[in-house]
Amino acid sequence: MRSVTYSMNVSLDGYIVGPDGGFNWTAPDEEVFRFATDEVRELGVHLLGRRLYEAMLYWETAEQNPSIGFSTLEFAALWKQLPKVVFSTTLSAVQGNALLASGGLAAEIERLRAEPGDGNIAIGGATLAAEAAALGLIDEYRAKVHPVLVGGGIPFFPQHERQVDLELVETRTFSSGVVHLRHRVTR
């Protein structure tokens, strides 16, 4: 069965976006960017909330920028071909290899898990991930922890009143000080 993974950049104090709405502190160096590209290779589909979908629209046309390098082109090509499902109550249409979710999150994940195919089901966006976590649908948490304290904003981990036990599966420290932590939910 395909796993559901929640992977985001996060500050050391636990936020994916700072109090001002910014996340410029997550700009990756080449080493972290290559790692993120390799993570996208593992995916079969990506579920996104509206805000993350809109932020990632850049990658739909990134190859048109003549000044971008090979690794950026590689990521753009992978991201552009990756099927995406967007959860939004305000969008009426989406672009590229994306479709608007027609049902609820649990039903969509159940449908995707039942489909034949390779690759994980990634989930992105704090609100959507919080809903998936509350429903017990996330199998792995993957955090790229950046060496910065932002003091508030949107938290990586959803705030709900239940304990979730995790098993550490992988760690990696990058020369920039970013630390990748991969935890599997123990059931």
Side-chain angles (χ1 to χ4, degrees):
M1 181 176 352
R2 298 164 85 181
S3 292
V4 175
T5 63
Y6 172 40
S7 178
M8 294 288 284
N9 292 294
V10 59
S11 64
L12 185 60
D13 54 349
Y15 298 97
I16 62 171
V17 174
D20 62 355
F23 52 92
N24 60 335
W25 46 269
T26 67
D29 65 7
E30 186 65 26
E31 182 184 24
V32 174
F33 192 78
R34 279 192 312 262
F35 182 81
T37 301
D38 289 342
E39 283 188 312
V40 171
R41 283 184 221 291
E42 298 175 6
L43 302 180
V45 63
H46 203 296
L47 311 182
L48 303 98
R50 180 193 52 82
R51 285 183 296 240
L52 182 59
Y53 164 74
E54 289 175 341
M56 296 300 285
L57 276 175
Y58 166 80
W59 296 103
E60 294 297 322
T61 58
E63 78 282 352
Q64 296 171 12
N65 180 345
S67 66
I68 62 174
F70 173 77
S71 59
T72 305
L73 281 172
E74 183 181 24
F75 180 88
L78 288 168
W79 181 259
K80 194 171 181 177
Q81 72 182 2
L82 180 66
K84 294 168 263 315
V85 179
V86 181
F87 290 80
S88 173
T89 58
T90 58
L91 294 175
S92 58
V94 291
Q95 301 173 29
N97 195 12
L99 58 92
L100 279 171
S102 58
L105 180 60
E108 188 66 29
I109 288 175
E110 183 178 325
R111 180 187 72 76
L112 290 167
R113 280 186 166 159
E115 283 183 350
D118 294 326
N120 292 328
I121 301 165
I123 190 160
T127 303
L128 195 60
E131 181 182 346
L135 295 168
L137 298 173
I138 296 178
D139 300 305
E140 284 189 7
Y141 289 87
R142 298 177 181 192
K144 283 189 243 12
V145 183
H146 290 256
V148 63
L149 303 172
V150 298
I154 299 174
F156 174 85
F157 293 104
Q159 307 299 310
H160 52 78
E161 296 181 13
R162 71 180 180 93
Q163 178 174 321
V164 177
D165 294 323
L166 304 171
E167 169 192 5
L168 181 62
V169 177
E170 176 185 6
T171 64
R172 180 169 173 185
T173 303
F174 297 94
S175 59
S176 62
V178 172
V179 178
H180 167 73
L181 301 171
R182 179 177 164 207
H183 288 85
R184 183 175 299 130
V185 175
T186 57
R187 304 198 197 275

PDB file of all heavy atoms in Angstrom, residues 14-46:
ATOM      1  N   GLY A  14       9.760  25.156  15.086  1.00  0.00           N
ATOM      2  CA  GLY A  14       8.596  24.384  14.675  1.00  0.00           C
ATOM      3  C   GLY A  14       7.638  25.015  13.684  1.00  0.00           C
ATOM      4  O   GLY A  14       6.507  24.546  13.548  1.00  0.00           O
ATOM      5  N   TYR A  15       8.057  26.035  12.943  1.00  0.00           N
ATOM      6  CA  TYR A  15       7.139  26.709  12.032  1.00  0.00           C
ATOM      7  C   TYR A  15       7.543  26.533  10.570  1.00  0.00           C
ATOM      8  O   TYR A  15       8.728  26.528  10.246  1.00  0.00           O
ATOM      9  CB  TYR A  15       7.072  28.209  12.367  1.00  0.00           C
ATOM     10  CG  TYR A  15       6.538  28.440  13.753  1.00  0.00           C
ATOM     11  CD1 TYR A  15       7.400  28.642  14.821  1.00  0.00           C
ATOM     12  CD2 TYR A  15       5.173  28.413  13.993  1.00  0.00           C
ATOM     13  CE1 TYR A  15       6.911  28.827  16.111  1.00  0.00           C
ATOM     14  CE2 TYR A  15       4.678  28.597  15.278  1.00  0.00           C
ATOM     15  CZ  TYR A  15       5.553  28.800  16.331  1.00  0.00           C
ATOM     16  OH  TYR A  15       5.059  28.969  17.597  1.00  0.00           O
ATOM     17  N   ILE A  16       6.529  26.422   9.696  1.00  0.00           N
ATOM     18  CA  ILE A  16       6.800  26.316   8.264  1.00  0.00           C
ATOM     19  C   ILE A  16       6.739  27.682   7.590  1.00  0.00           C
ATOM     20  O   ILE A  16       7.265  27.861   6.502  1.00  0.00           O
ATOM     21  CB  ILE A  16       5.854  25.320   7.559  1.00  0.00           C
ATOM     22  CG1 ILE A  16       4.394  25.754   7.655  1.00  0.00           C
ATOM     23  CG2 ILE A  16       6.052  23.923   8.111  1.00  0.00           C
ATOM     24  CD1 ILE A  16       3.448  24.946   6.804  1.00  0.00           C
ATOM     25  N   VAL A  17       6.092  28.627   8.247  1.00  0.00           N
ATOM     26  CA  VAL A  17       5.990  30.012   7.795  1.00  0.00           C
ATOM     27  C   VAL A  17       6.130  30.880   9.034  1.00  0.00           C
ATOM     28  O   VAL A  17       5.563  30.570  10.084  1.00  0.00           O
ATOM     29  CB  VAL A  17       4.631  30.272   7.103  1.00  0.00           C
ATOM     30  CG1 VAL A  17       4.444  31.739   6.761  1.00  0.00           C
ATOM     31  CG2 VAL A  17       4.500  29.436   5.841  1.00  0.00           C
ATOM     32  N   GLY A  18       6.876  31.966   8.904  1.00  0.00           N
ATOM     33  CA  GLY A  18       7.075  32.868  10.029  1.00  0.00           C
ATOM     34  C   GLY A  18       5.854  33.738  10.298  1.00  0.00           C
ATOM     35  O   GLY A  18       4.868  33.694   9.563  1.00  0.00           O
ATOM     36  N   PRO A  19       5.889  34.551  11.364  1.00  0.00           N
ATOM     37  CA  PRO A  19       4.750  35.378  11.749  1.00  0.00           C
ATOM     38  C   PRO A  19       4.378  36.416  10.693  1.00  0.00           C
ATOM     39  O   PRO A  19       3.233  36.857  10.628  1.00  0.00           O
ATOM     40  CB  PRO A  19       5.186  36.044  13.050  1.00  0.00           C
ATOM     41  CG  PRO A  19       6.661  35.919  13.093  1.00  0.00           C
ATOM     42  CD  PRO A  19       7.023  34.722  12.269  1.00  0.00           C
ATOM     43  N   ASP A  20       5.338  36.773   9.830  1.00  0.00           N
ATOM     44  CA  ASP A  20       5.059  37.745   8.769  1.00  0.00           C
ATOM     45  C   ASP A  20       4.569  37.075   7.482  1.00  0.00           C
ATOM     46  O   ASP A  20       4.378  37.724   6.466  1.00  0.00           O
ATOM     47  CB  ASP A  20       6.310  38.568   8.472  1.00  0.00           C
ATOM     48  CG  ASP A  20       7.473  37.707   7.966  1.00  0.00           C
ATOM     49  OD1 ASP A  20       7.357  36.456   7.935  1.00  0.00           O
ATOM     50  OD2 ASP A  20       8.512  38.285   7.603  1.00  0.00           O
ATOM     51  N   GLY A  21       4.375  35.742   7.530  1.00  0.00           N
ATOM     52  CA  GLY A  21       3.937  35.002   6.353  1.00  0.00           C
ATOM     53  C   GLY A  21       5.077  34.590   5.446  1.00  0.00           C
ATOM     54  O   GLY A  21       4.870  33.917   4.443  1.00  0.00           O
ATOM     55  N   GLY A  22       6.296  34.970   5.795  1.00  0.00           N
ATOM     56  CA  GLY A  22       7.446  34.673   4.955  1.00  0.00           C
ATOM     57  C   GLY A  22       8.092  33.337   5.268  1.00  0.00           C
ATOM     58  O   GLY A  22       7.977  32.809   6.370  1.00  0.00           O
ATOM     59  N   PHE A  23       8.756  32.805   4.256  1.00  0.00           N
ATOM     60  CA  PHE A  23       9.516  31.565   4.426  1.00  0.00           C
ATOM     61  C   PHE A  23      10.811  31.625   3.626  1.00  0.00           C
ATOM     62  O   PHE A  23      11.344  30.602   3.202  1.00  0.00           O
ATOM     63  CB  PHE A  23       8.678  30.330   4.053  1.00  0.00           C
ATOM     64  CG  PHE A  23       8.030  30.398   2.693  1.00  0.00           C
ATOM     65  CD1 PHE A  23       8.669  29.891   1.583  1.00  0.00           C
ATOM     66  CD2 PHE A  23       6.776  30.963   2.536  1.00  0.00           C
ATOM     67  CE1 PHE A  23       8.074  29.954   0.334  1.00  0.00           C
ATOM     68  CE2 PHE A  23       6.170  31.037   1.292  1.00  0.00           C
ATOM     69  CZ  PHE A  23       6.819  30.523   0.184  1.00  0.00           C
ATOM     70  N   ASN A  24      11.344  32.834   3.449  1.00  0.00           N
ATOM     71  CA  ASN A  24      12.591  32.983   2.690  1.00  0.00           C
ATOM     72  C   ASN A  24      13.771  32.288   3.366  1.00  0.00           C
ATOM     73  O   ASN A  24      14.767  31.989   2.727  1.00  0.00           O
ATOM     74  CB  ASN A  24      12.911  34.460   2.439  1.00  0.00           C
ATOM     75  CG  ASN A  24      13.083  35.249   3.716  1.00  0.00           C
ATOM     76  OD1 ASN A  24      12.548  34.875   4.758  1.00  0.00           O
ATOM     77  ND2 ASN A  24      13.820  36.330   3.653  1.00  0.00           N
ATOM     78  N   TRP A  25      13.670  32.017   4.642  1.00  0.00           N
ATOM     79  CA  TRP A  25      14.715  31.301   5.366  1.00  0.00           C
ATOM     80  C   TRP A  25      14.808  29.836   4.938  1.00  0.00           C
ATOM     81  O   TRP A  25      15.732  29.130   5.330  1.00  0.00           O
ATOM     82  CB  TRP A  25      14.492  31.411   6.881  1.00  0.00           C
ATOM     83  CG  TRP A  25      13.067  31.162   7.294  1.00  0.00           C
ATOM     84  CD1 TRP A  25      12.067  32.088   7.430  1.00  0.00           C
ATOM     85  CD2 TRP A  25      12.464  29.909   7.618  1.00  0.00           C
ATOM     86  NE1 TRP A  25      10.898  31.487   7.810  1.00  0.00           N
ATOM     87  CE2 TRP A  25      11.116  30.143   7.935  1.00  0.00           C
ATOM     88  CE3 TRP A  25      12.946  28.604   7.669  1.00  0.00           C
ATOM     89  CZ2 TRP A  25      10.225  29.142   8.289  1.00  0.00           C
ATOM     90  CZ3 TRP A  25      12.074  27.590   8.024  1.00  0.00           C
ATOM     91  CH2 TRP A  25      10.722  27.870   8.330  1.00  0.00           C
ATOM     92  N   THR A  26      13.866  29.360   4.110  1.00  0.00           N
ATOM     93  CA  THR A  26      13.892  27.968   3.647  1.00  0.00           C
ATOM     94  C   THR A  26      14.607  27.803   2.312  1.00  0.00           C
ATOM     95  O   THR A  26      14.700  26.691   1.808  1.00  0.00           O
ATOM     96  CB  THR A  26      12.468  27.388   3.504  1.00  0.00           C
ATOM     97  OG1 THR A  26      11.789  28.068   2.433  1.00  0.00           O
ATOM     98  CG2 THR A  26      11.676  27.502   4.783  1.00  0.00           C
ATOM     99  N   ALA A  27      15.104  28.906   1.734  1.00  0.00           N
ATOM    100  CA  ALA A  27      15.784  28.809   0.433  1.00  0.00           C
ATOM    101  C   ALA A  27      16.930  27.802   0.541  1.00  0.00           C
ATOM    102  O   ALA A  27      17.854  27.986   1.334  1.00  0.00           O
ATOM    103  CB  ALA A  27      16.300  30.179   0.004  1.00  0.00           C
ATOM    104  N   PRO A  28      16.888  26.740  -0.266  1.00  0.00           N
ATOM    105  CA  PRO A  28      17.899  25.688  -0.123  1.00  0.00           C
ATOM    106  C   PRO A  28      19.191  26.002  -0.866  1.00  0.00           C
ATOM    107  O   PRO A  28      19.189  26.676  -1.892  1.00  0.00           O
ATOM    108  CB  PRO A  28      17.212  24.475  -0.766  1.00  0.00           C
ATOM    109  CG  PRO A  28      16.342  25.074  -1.825  1.00  0.00           C
ATOM    110  CD  PRO A  28      15.863  26.400  -1.251  1.00  0.00           C
ATOM    111  N   ASP A  29      20.280  25.479  -0.336  1.00  0.00           N
ATOM    112  CA  ASP A  29      21.515  25.500  -1.104  1.00  0.00           C
ATOM    113  C   ASP A  29      21.454  24.327  -2.086  1.00  0.00           C
ATOM    114  O   ASP A  29      20.472  23.568  -2.115  1.00  0.00           O
ATOM    115  CB  ASP A  29      22.740  25.437  -0.183  1.00  0.00           C
ATOM    116  CG  ASP A  29      22.858  24.137   0.601  1.00  0.00           C
ATOM    117  OD1 ASP A  29      22.072  23.185   0.369  1.00  0.00           O
ATOM    118  OD2 ASP A  29      23.746  24.053   1.457  1.00  0.00           O
ATOM    119  N   GLU A  30      22.482  24.164  -2.896  1.00  0.00           N
ATOM    120  CA  GLU A  30      22.465  23.124  -3.930  1.00  0.00           C
ATOM    121  C   GLU A  30      22.314  21.721  -3.342  1.00  0.00           C
ATOM    122  O   GLU A  30      21.593  20.881  -3.885  1.00  0.00           O
ATOM    123  CB  GLU A  30      23.746  23.204  -4.774  1.00  0.00           C
ATOM    124  CG  GLU A  30      23.770  22.264  -5.955  1.00  0.00           C
ATOM    125  CD  GLU A  30      22.722  22.559  -7.022  1.00  0.00           C
ATOM    126  OE1 GLU A  30      22.275  23.711  -7.149  1.00  0.00           O
ATOM    127  OE2 GLU A  30      22.337  21.609  -7.739  1.00  0.00           O
ATOM    128  N   GLU A  31      22.970  21.455  -2.221  1.00  0.00           N
ATOM    129  CA  GLU A  31      22.920  20.120  -1.605  1.00  0.00           C
ATOM    130  C   GLU A  31      21.498  19.783  -1.138  1.00  0.00           C
ATOM    131  O   GLU A  31      20.990  18.697  -1.405  1.00  0.00           O
ATOM    132  CB  GLU A  31      23.903  20.085  -0.426  1.00  0.00           C
ATOM    133  CG  GLU A  31      23.987  18.748   0.263  1.00  0.00           C
ATOM    134  CD  GLU A  31      24.894  18.776   1.481  1.00  0.00           C
ATOM    135  OE1 GLU A  31      25.103  19.867   2.083  1.00  0.00           O
ATOM    136  OE2 GLU A  31      25.376  17.698   1.862  1.00  0.00           O
ATOM    137  N   VAL A  32      20.854  20.701  -0.461  1.00  0.00           N
ATOM    138  CA  VAL A  32      19.484  20.477   0.024  1.00  0.00           C
ATOM    139  C   VAL A  32      18.517  20.414  -1.151  1.00  0.00           C
ATOM    140  O   VAL A  32      17.586  19.604  -1.163  1.00  0.00           O
ATOM    141  CB  VAL A  32      19.071  21.561   1.045  1.00  0.00           C
ATOM    142  CG1 VAL A  32      17.607  21.431   1.435  1.00  0.00           C
ATOM    143  CG2 VAL A  32      19.962  21.484   2.287  1.00  0.00           C
ATOM    144  N   PHE A  33      18.744  21.243  -2.155  1.00  0.00           N
ATOM    145  CA  PHE A  33      17.883  21.249  -3.336  1.00  0.00           C
ATOM    146  C   PHE A  33      17.941  19.898  -4.058  1.00  0.00           C
ATOM    147  O   PHE A  33      16.907  19.365  -4.471  1.00  0.00           O
ATOM    148  CB  PHE A  33      18.275  22.392  -4.271  1.00  0.00           C
ATOM    149  CG  PHE A  33      17.269  22.639  -5.353  1.00  0.00           C
ATOM    150  CD1 PHE A  33      16.101  23.329  -5.090  1.00  0.00           C
ATOM    151  CD2 PHE A  33      17.484  22.172  -6.646  1.00  0.00           C
ATOM    152  CE1 PHE A  33      15.160  23.554  -6.089  1.00  0.00           C
ATOM    153  CE2 PHE A  33      16.562  22.391  -7.647  1.00  0.00           C
ATOM    154  CZ  PHE A  33      15.394  23.090  -7.365  1.00  0.00           C
ATOM    155  N   ARG A  34      19.129  19.330  -4.201  1.00  0.00           N
ATOM    156  CA  ARG A  34      19.261  18.006  -4.833  1.00  0.00           C
ATOM    157  C   ARG A  34      18.527  16.948  -4.022  1.00  0.00           C
ATOM    158  O   ARG A  34      17.879  16.058  -4.579  1.00  0.00           O
ATOM    159  CB  ARG A  34      20.732  17.629  -4.989  1.00  0.00           C
ATOM    160  CG  ARG A  34      21.400  18.248  -6.198  1.00  0.00           C
ATOM    161  CD  ARG A  34      22.764  17.614  -6.482  1.00  0.00           C
ATOM    162  NE  ARG A  34      23.598  17.512  -5.293  1.00  0.00           N
ATOM    163  CZ  ARG A  34      24.550  18.381  -4.959  1.00  0.00           C
ATOM    164  NH1 ARG A  34      24.810  19.391  -5.743  1.00  0.00           N
ATOM    165  NH2 ARG A  34      25.246  18.232  -3.862  1.00  0.00           N
ATOM    166  N   PHE A  35      18.622  17.043  -2.694  1.00  0.00           N
ATOM    167  CA  PHE A  35      17.915  16.096  -1.825  1.00  0.00           C
ATOM    168  C   PHE A  35      16.405  16.214  -2.029  1.00  0.00           C
ATOM    169  O   PHE A  35      15.699  15.209  -2.137  1.00  0.00           O
ATOM    170  CB  PHE A  35      18.294  16.359  -0.360  1.00  0.00           C
ATOM    171  CG  PHE A  35      17.667  15.408   0.600  1.00  0.00           C
ATOM    172  CD1 PHE A  35      18.203  14.150   0.802  1.00  0.00           C
ATOM    173  CD2 PHE A  35      16.532  15.764   1.309  1.00  0.00           C
ATOM    174  CE1 PHE A  35      17.629  13.254   1.690  1.00  0.00           C
ATOM    175  CE2 PHE A  35      15.944  14.880   2.203  1.00  0.00           C
ATOM    176  CZ  PHE A  35      16.496  13.622   2.396  1.00  0.00           C
ATOM    177  N   ALA A  36      15.897  17.444  -2.087  1.00  0.00           N
ATOM    178  CA  ALA A  36      14.461  17.669  -2.304  1.00  0.00           C
ATOM    179  C   ALA A  36      14.029  17.117  -3.667  1.00  0.00           C
ATOM    180  O   ALA A  36      12.937  16.541  -3.796  1.00  0.00           O
ATOM    181  CB  ALA A  36      14.134  19.157  -2.196  1.00  0.00           C
ATOM    182  N   THR A  37      14.879  17.281  -4.661  1.00  0.00           N
ATOM    183  CA  THR A  37      14.583  16.735  -5.990  1.00  0.00           C
ATOM    184  C   THR A  37      14.482  15.217  -5.924  1.00  0.00           C
ATOM    185  O   THR A  37      13.560  14.624  -6.504  1.00  0.00           O
ATOM    186  CB  THR A  37      15.668  17.163  -7.000  1.00  0.00           C
ATOM    187  OG1 THR A  37      15.697  18.592  -7.054  1.00  0.00           O
ATOM    188  CG2 THR A  37      15.399  16.608  -8.388  1.00  0.00           C
ATOM    189  N   ASP A  38      15.378  14.581  -5.204  1.00  0.00           N
ATOM    190  CA  ASP A  38      15.322  13.128  -5.048  1.00  0.00           C
ATOM    191  C   ASP A  38      14.051  12.694  -4.324  1.00  0.00           C
ATOM    192  O   ASP A  38      13.482  11.644  -4.636  1.00  0.00           O
ATOM    193  CB  ASP A  38      16.559  12.610  -4.312  1.00  0.00           C
ATOM    194  CG  ASP A  38      17.816  12.692  -5.165  1.00  0.00           C
ATOM    195  OD1 ASP A  38      17.713  12.810  -6.405  1.00  0.00           O
ATOM    196  OD2 ASP A  38      18.925  12.652  -4.580  1.00  0.00           O
ATOM    197  N   GLU A  39      13.591  13.495  -3.360  1.00  0.00           N
ATOM    198  CA  GLU A  39      12.326  13.175  -2.678  1.00  0.00           C
ATOM    199  C   GLU A  39      11.151  13.208  -3.656  1.00  0.00           C
ATOM    200  O   GLU A  39      10.261  12.363  -3.591  1.00  0.00           O
ATOM    201  CB  GLU A  39      12.064  14.152  -1.530  1.00  0.00           C
ATOM    202  CG  GLU A  39      12.877  13.895  -0.289  1.00  0.00           C
ATOM    203  CD  GLU A  39      12.445  14.774   0.864  1.00  0.00           C
ATOM    204  OE1 GLU A  39      12.299  16.008   0.672  1.00  0.00           O
ATOM    205  OE2 GLU A  39      12.238  14.219   1.962  1.00  0.00           O
ATOM    206  N   VAL A  40      11.151  14.165  -4.564  1.00  0.00           N
ATOM    207  CA  VAL A  40      10.061  14.268  -5.544  1.00  0.00           C
ATOM    208  C   VAL A  40      10.053  13.046  -6.463  1.00  0.00           C
ATOM    209  O   VAL A  40       8.993  12.573  -6.864  1.00  0.00           O
ATOM    210  CB  VAL A  40      10.148  15.592  -6.338  1.00  0.00           C
ATOM    211  CG1 VAL A  40       9.161  15.617  -7.505  1.00  0.00           C
ATOM    212  CG2 VAL A  40       9.891  16.779  -5.421  1.00  0.00           C
ATOM    213  N   ARG A  41      11.241  12.506  -6.754  1.00  0.00           N
ATOM    214  CA  ARG A  41      11.321  11.293  -7.593  1.00  0.00           C
ATOM    215  C   ARG A  41      10.557  10.120  -6.980  1.00  0.00           C
ATOM    216  O   ARG A  41      10.095   9.242  -7.697  1.00  0.00           O
ATOM    217  CB  ARG A  41      12.769  10.855  -7.766  1.00  0.00           C
ATOM    218  CG  ARG A  41      13.569  11.632  -8.711  1.00  0.00           C
ATOM    219  CD  ARG A  41      14.967  10.970  -8.834  1.00  0.00           C
ATOM    220  NE  ARG A  41      16.020  11.935  -8.871  1.00  0.00           N
ATOM    221  CZ  ARG A  41      16.248  12.762  -9.877  1.00  0.00           C
ATOM    222  NH1 ARG A  41      15.490  12.712 -10.932  1.00  0.00           N
ATOM    223  NH2 ARG A  41      17.233  13.626  -9.841  1.00  0.00           N
ATOM    224  N   GLU A  42      10.455  10.088  -5.656  1.00  0.00           N
ATOM    225  CA  GLU A  42       9.797   8.982  -4.954  1.00  0.00           C
ATOM    226  C   GLU A  42       8.274   9.085  -4.979  1.00  0.00           C
ATOM    227  O   GLU A  42       7.589   8.166  -4.541  1.00  0.00           O
ATOM    228  CB  GLU A  42      10.219   8.959  -3.483  1.00  0.00           C
ATOM    229  CG  GLU A  42      11.669   8.747  -3.219  1.00  0.00           C
ATOM    230  CD  GLU A  42      11.990   8.868  -1.725  1.00  0.00           C
ATOM    231  OE1 GLU A  42      11.067   9.009  -0.903  1.00  0.00           O
ATOM    232  OE2 GLU A  42      13.183   8.825  -1.398  1.00  0.00           O
ATOM    233  N   LEU A  43       7.746  10.186  -5.457  1.00  0.00           N
ATOM    234  CA  LEU A  43       6.313  10.439  -5.342  1.00  0.00           C
ATOM    235  C   LEU A  43       5.524   9.910  -6.527  1.00  0.00           C
ATOM    236  O   LEU A  43       5.981   9.923  -7.662  1.00  0.00           O
ATOM    237  CB  LEU A  43       6.057  11.941  -5.201  1.00  0.00           C
ATOM    238  CG  LEU A  43       6.729  12.622  -4.018  1.00  0.00           C
ATOM    239  CD1 LEU A  43       6.386  14.104  -4.001  1.00  0.00           C
ATOM    240  CD2 LEU A  43       6.351  11.949  -2.705  1.00  0.00           C
ATOM    241  N   GLY A  44       4.307   9.500  -6.220  1.00  0.00           N
ATOM    242  CA  GLY A  44       3.353   9.110  -7.252  1.00  0.00           C
ATOM    243  C   GLY A  44       2.314  10.188  -7.463  1.00  0.00           C
ATOM    244  O   GLY A  44       1.758  10.331  -8.554  1.00  0.00           O
ATOM    245  N   VAL A  45       2.047  10.960  -6.409  1.00  0.00           N
ATOM    246  CA  VAL A  45       1.055  12.035  -6.458  1.00  0.00           C
ATOM    247  C   VAL A  45       1.306  12.962  -5.277  1.00  0.00           C
ATOM    248  O   VAL A  45       1.829  12.532  -4.245  1.00  0.00           O
ATOM    249  CB  VAL A  45      -0.392  11.469  -6.432  1.00  0.00           C
ATOM    250  CG1 VAL A  45      -0.678  10.716  -5.140  1.00  0.00           C
ATOM    251  CG2 VAL A  45      -1.439  12.549  -6.677  1.00  0.00           C
ATOM    252  N   HIS A  46       0.938  14.230  -5.444  1.00  0.00           N
ATOM    253  CA  HIS A  46       1.112  15.212  -4.365  1.00  0.00           C
ATOM    254  C   HIS A  46      -0.226  15.871  -4.091  1.00  0.00           C
ATOM    255  O   HIS A  46      -0.868  16.380  -5.008  1.00  0.00           O
ATOM    256  CB  HIS A  46       2.148  16.260  -4.761  1.00  0.00           C
ATOM    257  CG  HIS A  46       2.771  16.946  -3.598  1.00  0.00           C
ATOM    258  ND1 HIS A  46       2.066  17.742  -2.728  1.00  0.00           N
ATOM    259  CD2 HIS A  46       4.043  16.947  -3.134  1.00  0.00           C
ATOM    260  CE1 HIS A  46       2.878  18.213  -1.801  1.00  0.00           C
ATOM    261  NE2 HIS A  46       4.087  17.736  -2.023  1.00  0.00           N
TER     262      HIS A  46
END
